[in-house]
Amino acid sequence: MMDTTVTIDEEEEKKEIIRRYRKLLRHAKPFLKDNDAKEIKKAFYVSLEAHKDMRRKSGEPYIYHPLEVADICVHEIGLGTTSIISALLHDVVEDTDWELDDINREFGPKIMRIIDGLTKISGVPGENVSEQAENFRKMLLTLSSDTRVILIKLADRLHNMRTLESMPRHKQLKIASETFYLYAPLAHRLGLYAIKTELEDLSMKYREADEYEAIAKKIEQSKDDRNKFIRNFVRPIQKSINDQGYTVEVKGRNKSIYSIAQKMKKQDIPYEEVYDLFAIRIIIDTDLEKEKAACWHVYSIVTDFYQPNPDRLRDWVSIPKANGYESLHTTVMTKKGQWVEVQIRTRRMDDIAEKGYAAHWKYKDGSAKENESALDLWINSVRESLEQNDISAIEFVDDFRSNLFLEEVYAFTPMGKLITLPNGSTALDFAFDVHSEVGAGCIGAKINHKLVPINTKLKNGDQVEILTSSKQKPKEDWLRFVVSSKAKSAIKDFLKEEKKKAAFEGKEIVIRKLKQIKLTLNNETINKLVAYFGAKSPLDFFYAVGTEKINSKDIKKISEIKKEASKKPKKTKLESAEDVKKTIKKVHDTGTADMLLIGEDMDVVDYKFANCCKPIPGDDVFGFVTVSEGIKIHRTTCPNATELMSNYGYRIIKAKWTSQQQIAFLAGIKVIGTDRIGMVNDITSIISTDLKVNMRSLTIDTDHGIFEGNISVYVDDTSHLNTMLDKLKNVEGIESVSRFDLYDK
């Protein structure tokens, strides 16, 4: 047997640790004051000692991780000494013998609170609880008091994503999904565009590896052409800009791999047809008071040479985004007939665009103060929903994600005050943003002086007047169309209060009815009533009685309830959670290397194929343990996979196909091309005659010579399906052939 022991050169590792520590100090040096260097050194040695016997999955000393996280904090986010110390110590309470009291004693209460916010909750009690969501909630609860917790967590997540290579596949999927679902939108919302982009790209690298590699390869191949294009584009405008007395830096910025992939999917086009593969950024060095004029002046110089697309002008200089982003974007036509995006901004704006929230502290005067307050307003707006502890962690995370919209809509009050809301907001969202009481009493609105219903979506520049009535009350269906967290939170609060009132009245009715048959309301009686009427909880049962959904006369049938309850013992939620644990253990006991073998383990473990993504042999898949339906097999690219892995990572089971599967699987094929006589015959001939494949359905829609066909076929595995796709691509007139997900109606 071959010896796979890795020889560790301890001397070389010590040198590398010191090299990384010195790099951190070099990056921190410009802002260090008084005792800062001494405190950073102390934190470094505490972390080094605490983690001395620990190694990462890659085999490297664990201390590399806190050092790199601290370096990201200072170098890529622009944070200071407090954050560096916290980053160096961020894992000591979670992974070593150090307690929060020790941190408090050695480094003070401020550092202790940050470390506490970064320390995971271990062993979350309770049934069906998502530990991931609970930990995310704990971390976010610090958002309103100390934003540094979130920024350090983003640095921690970025370094974990950069070093994800050494983790096992199922862990890669879970961490990448969670990153895409929560951390990338959070980075965007805090204005950290560079980090948000890298997190999205790294998530895609592990979730959709083939697609990622294909696009990355094409970007690398076109690098020389791109640089030549930028030089040719800049040459004519550079002299004019210099003649006007501006000092500028011009650079090309690649569109991210993830955003290219999204555009290809959305517009159903190949890589070569994505016209804005990169943007040209012009960064102006100018004084604060001259910024706006300078941006527009440089814009006029660019458009003197190149024709702009009037529909593609984005002015975030006059009205910055809610996360503080400022820039002027235009798309212009080059002399060779190619569209290119040009971003014009000042050095200050570029700094804020790259480093987001942290960069605001460098610019405390003038317009930057307003931008800072825009972010602070957002943080204040989510504080209410963050502090509601009576909702589940999953609901909490979903509520928080609704705050992470990538775009905003700008509307005005009748007095001309600007209100910024998430994209897709309605007149009702606007009303709740004005005040929760205005929202609760909203019966309609006037948008640009025209009367409209409360669910009317707002457009940029709308002037909104809210109409209210003292008789109006929030309704449950309002939750279907509001999008802002403030509105959702206020409506839920009101409905909860109403539910409690109705439940109180219902409880009084139940007590009276039981008294008539000489019974008292105790735990045993409540449990029997809840089980008999099929309510989720005592509160739901009392509410149903209070709102007359349950007839109070039926409560007298307590003798029947007793019999029924003894006949039908209801499974408690705790038992359901235990079932999940038992199922996972059964897979680990019977599978190969903790893995579910699809095709072999059916007799031992019950599993089904998920209808949301219809996996077929050869697809990259995972198992998800449900509470009521056993294990469901999903594709890793399933539209629901990201959310499942982000919230319920502990229920994910590795799964792979075996060659024993002898079942035909249903798959969908989309065909687009130019129509001609005999086209359908050629398609069906390849499927039925050449490949001997059964079709379940075929729909063809033709519109002015262009046809689109959706075909559902039974195949053996992905290679069988890919053979079919390749053959169909060769049919004359067919432009594109792709697989699509079939959903059960």
Side-chain angles (χ1 to χ4, degrees):
M1 188 174 168
M2 200 170 76
D3 184 18
T4 55
T5 309
V6 178
T7 307
I8 295 168
D9 186 337
E10 288 187 12
E11 281 307 309
E12 192 50 48
E13 281 187 351
K14 281 178 188 171
K15 286 179 189 171
E16 179 60 25
I17 290 166
I18 296 301
R19 267 198 295 271
R20 294 186 187 215
Y21 173 59
R22 284 180 179 155
K23 179 184 74 170
L24 170 65
L25 287 180
R26 257 196 329 275
H27 289 151
K29 193 177 179 183
F31 59 78
L32 292 182
K33 303 191 293 286
D34 308 331
N35 248 3
D36 287 358
K38 195 176 167 187
E39 285 296 298
I40 291 169
K41 185 179 181 180
K42 180 179 163 186
F44 165 63
Y45 280 110
V46 164
S47 186
L48 185 62
E49 177 62 25
H51 295 301
K52 67 180 178 187
D53 298 322
M54 294 171 63
R55 292 193 170 266
R56 304 193 82 211
K57 286 280 185 195
S58 59
E60 294 177 337
Y62 195 89
I63 188 67
Y64 286 5
H65 173 63
L67 277 168
E68 291 304 315
V69 173
D71 194 56
I72 291 168
C73 285
V74 62
H75 191 53
E76 298 181 49
I77 302 179
L79 293 169
T81 302
T82 302
S83 300
I84 293 172
I85 293 167
S86 301
L88 286 169
L89 301 169
H90 78 274
D91 277 336
V92 295
V93 172
E94 194 174 304
D95 296 341
T96 76
D97 295 334
W98 273 66
E99 303 284 345
L100 283 169
D101 288 344
D102 302 323
I103 301 285
N104 188 23
R105 186 183 63 249
E106 296 293 328
F107 298 96
K110 185 163 54 174
I111 303 282
M112 181 198 73
R113 280 194 296 272
I114 294 174
I115 302 295
D116 186 30
L118 291 163
T119 303
K120 287 180 192 157
I121 304 163
S122 58
V124 178
E127 171 274 328
N128 203 13
V129 170
S130 167
E131 194 168 312
Q132 283 158 287
E134 290 289 357
N135 281 314
F136 199 73
R137 162 152 63 186
K138 184 193 176 199
M139 182 190 70
L140 285 173
L141 284 169
T142 62
L143 180 65
S144 53
S145 58
D146 198 329
T147 318
R148 284 174 294 201
V149 173
I150 313 295
L151 297 171
I152 296 164
K153 184 63 191 175
L154 284 168
D156 177 39
R157 180 52 60 120
L158 179 60
H159 186 247
N160 282 334
M161 288 300 294
R162 284 174 178 172
T163 54
L164 201 55
E165 195 80 34
S166 52
M167 296 295 274
R169 173 71 179 144
H170 70 292
K171 282 275 183 70
Q172 288 176 343
L173 280 172
K174 183 180 89 67
I175 294 166
S177 297
E178 192 181 49
T179 300
F180 178 76
Y181 187 71
L182 291 168
Y183 291 98
L186 183 56
H188 181 105
R189 199 61 188 76
L190 291 169
L192 295 155
Y193 283 94
I195 287 177
K196 167 249 185 187
T197 300
E198 191 177 347
L199 288 176
E200 283 178 342
D201 277 4
L202 288 169
S203 296
M204 183 183 171
K205 181 181 177 181
Y206 292 100
R207 293 165 71 236
E208 299 171 70
D210 293 346
E211 202 176 343
Y212 176 89
E213 292 300 335
I215 295 172
K217 195 174 176 185
K218 285 179 177 172
I219 289 173
E220 184 57 35
Q221 286 168 350
S222 60
K223 192 163 80 174
D224 293 341
D225 290 341
R226 198 162 54 248
N227 291 337
K228 185 181 173 186
F229 177 91
I230 292 164
R231 285 195 300 273
N232 291 339
F233 182 91
V234 173
R235 199 175 292 122
I237 59 173
Q238 186 79 56
K239 186 176 182 305
S240 288
I241 290 173
N242 292 345
D243 289 348
Q244 294 295 330
Y246 293 110
T247 304
V248 299
E249 179 190 355
V250 183
K251 57 186 180 183
R253 182 194 65 86
N254 281 342
K255 200 176 183 73
S256 74
I257 294 174
Y258 171 73
S259 57
I260 291 170
Q262 286 301 99
K263 188 154 270 197
M264 287 165 64
K265 279 179 195 165
K266 204 172 176 182
Q267 299 180 3
D268 200 14
I269 53 173
Y271 173 88
E272 290 69 26
E273 288 176 31
V274 178
Y275 72 80
D276 54 348
L277 285 167
F278 64 95
I280 286 170
R281 185 176 292 168
I282 301 172
I283 301 164
I284 312 162
D285 289 313
T286 189
D287 296 334
L288 194 65
E289 62 274 8
K290 296 175 185 170
E291 283 190 329
K292 196 185 287 190
C295 288
W296 284 109
H297 196 177
V298 170
Y299 168 80
S300 71
I301 293 169
V302 172
T303 53
D304 282 345
F305 287 88
Y306 300 107
Q307 190 69 39
N309 180 340
D311 295 332
R312 300 277 298 171
L313 177 64
R314 300 286 180 268
D315 175 13
W316 288 302
V317 171
S318 303
I319 305 177
K321 287 188 177 185
N323 60 12
Y325 180 84
E326 295 172 83
S327 193
L328 201 55
H329 291 197
T330 182
T331 303
V332 299
M333 178 66 79
T334 64
K335 303 288 187 278
K336 291 187 176 178
Q338 190 175 346
W339 289 109
V340 63
E341 185 185 330
V342 182
Q343 301 171 351
I344 301 162
R345 58 176 71 156
T346 64
R347 184 70 59 187
R348 178 189 69 82
M349 293 173 188
D350 191 56
D351 202 11
I352 286 170
E354 292 300 310
K355 291 181 177 168
Y357 191 86
H360 287 294
W361 306 110
K362 284 170 66 178
Y363 305 98
K364 293 207 172 174
D365 303 317
S367 62
K369 195 150 190 171
E370 291 165 28
N371 299 338
E372 181 183 303
S373 69
L375 259 175
D376 289 337
L377 281 172
W378 172 70
I379 287 172
N380 290 337
S381 76
V382 297
R383 184 181 281 137
E384 293 166 24
S385 65
L386 292 179
E387 290 171 354
Q388 280 183 12
N389 291 316
D390 59 338
I391 59 173
S392 73
I394 300 290
E395 191 182 353
F396 170 89
V397 170
D398 287 342
D399 272 4
F400 183 76
R401 283 189 82 243
S402 71
N403 281 279
L404 305 178
F405 279 84
L406 303 189
E407 298 298 333
E408 291 93 24
V409 63
Y410 304 96
F412 295 90
T413 67
M415 300 304 290
K417 184 190 171 190
L418 176 69
I419 287 185
T420 305
L421 290 162
N423 199 24
S425 287
T426 62
L428 190 57
D429 287 291
F430 186 98
F432 275 105
D433 197 83
V434 172
H435 196 280
S436 55
E437 285 180 18
V438 174
C442 180
I443 54 168
K446 283 184 180 177
I447 295 182
N448 305 325
H449 308 293
K450 186 182 170 190
L451 192 64
V452 296
I454 59 175
N455 63 349
T456 305
K457 286 192 178 180
L458 302 178
K459 297 191 290 294
N460 277 331
D462 279 347
Q463 193 164 23
V464 186
E465 181 187 349
I466 300 299
L467 307 174
T468 61
S469 164
S470 58
K471 292 176 183 172
Q472 178 68 296
K473 285 182 180 179
K475 299 173 180 64
E476 194 141 6
D477 71 326
W478 285 11
L479 289 168
R480 287 189 294 107
F481 57 82
V482 292
V483 297
S484 65
S485 180
K486 192 171 181 181
K488 283 183 179 176
S489 171
I491 294 164
K492 283 177 184 174
D493 277 353
F494 182 87
L495 293 172
K496 275 175 194 159
E497 280 308 307
E498 288 294 293
K499 188 172 184 177
K500 280 177 188 169
K501 280 182 202 167
F504 181 77
E505 288 169 14
K507 189 174 182 180
E508 294 296 308
I509 293 167
V510 172
I511 290 168
R512 280 201 310 273
K513 293 292 177 189
L514 289 174
K515 205 171 183 181
Q516 288 169 13
I517 54 170
K518 295 184 172 56
L519 280 177
T520 55
L521 188 66
N522 54 32
N523 282 344
E524 189 186 350
T525 317
I526 292 171
N527 289 338
K528 286 172 184 173
L529 287 162
V530 167
Y532 180 75
F533 289 104
K536 288 182 185 171
S537 67
L539 181 70
D540 284 331
F541 168 66
F542 293 137
Y543 174 71
V545 175
T547 52
E548 297 180 0
K549 287 177 185 166
I550 290 176
N551 191 329
S552 59
K553 290 176 185 173
D554 292 342
I555 294 165
K556 289 184 178 182
K557 301 174 184 174
I558 192 68
S559 54
E560 290 178 36
I561 293 170
K562 197 172 181 178
K563 287 175 203 165
E564 196 70 27
S566 63
K567 268 191 252 173
K568 287 188 191 173
K570 275 185 80 73
K571 201 176 200 186
T572 66
K573 289 184 174 182
L574 186 63
E575 285 169 345
S576 299
E578 283 303 313
D579 285 350
V580 170
K581 289 175 190 169
K582 284 175 191 169
T583 305
I584 293 171
K585 186 177 185 306
K586 198 185 286 186
V587 170
H588 288 182
D589 291 346
T590 58
T592 303
D594 292 352
M595 190 178 290
L596 175 66
L597 298 173
I598 305 169
E600 288 184 1
D601 294 341
M602 190 71 168
D603 54 336
V604 184
V605 182
D606 184 28
Y607 60 83
K608 295 173 188 166
F609 298 107
N611 286 326
C612 48
C613 55
K614 295 284 185 196
I616 65 175
D619 285 338
D620 198 1
V621 291
F622 66 92
F624 179 73
V625 183
T626 65
V627 173
S628 54
E629 297 180 86
I631 298 171
K632 287 275 186 81
I633 307 298
H634 292 262
R635 284 161 60 189
T636 55
T637 54
C638 169
N640 297 319
T642 310
E643 194 169 345
L644 293 176
M645 290 185 189
S646 298
N647 288 332
Y648 300 103
Y650 67 99
R651 292 202 204 166
I652 303 297
I653 289 175
K654 289 181 282 183
K656 74 171 186 179
W657 303 92
T658 66
S659 54
Q660 293 184 19
Q661 202 72 19
Q662 296 296 320
I663 309 169
F665 289 81
L666 197 60
I669 301 174
K670 185 187 282 291
V671 185
I672 298 171
T674 50
D675 198 14
R676 60 173 172 80
I677 295 169
M679 174 65 85
V680 176
N681 185 51
D682 288 354
I683 291 170
T684 53
S685 174
I686 284 172
I687 294 170
S688 301
T689 312
D690 292 7
L691 295 168
K692 307 281 190 294
V693 169
N694 284 331
M695 282 189 288
R696 187 173 88 165
S697 66
L698 168 66
T699 57
I700 300 276
D701 187 29
T702 307
D703 184 18
H704 294 88
I706 303 295
F707 86 90
E708 186 173 309
N710 286 340
I711 312 160
S712 56
V713 292
Y714 288 99
V715 294
D716 299 331
D717 51 33
T718 47
S719 72
H720 191 196
L721 178 64
N722 290 335
T723 302
M724 196 182 310
L725 297 181
D726 290 339
K727 281 186 175 280
L728 288 171
K729 280 174 190 169
N730 294 326
V731 173
E732 184 195 339
I734 286 183
E735 294 293 324
S736 75
V737 183
S738 57
R739 176 181 175 182
F740 72 90
D741 291 335
L742 287 165
Y743 300 99
D744 274 8
K745 296 286 185 285

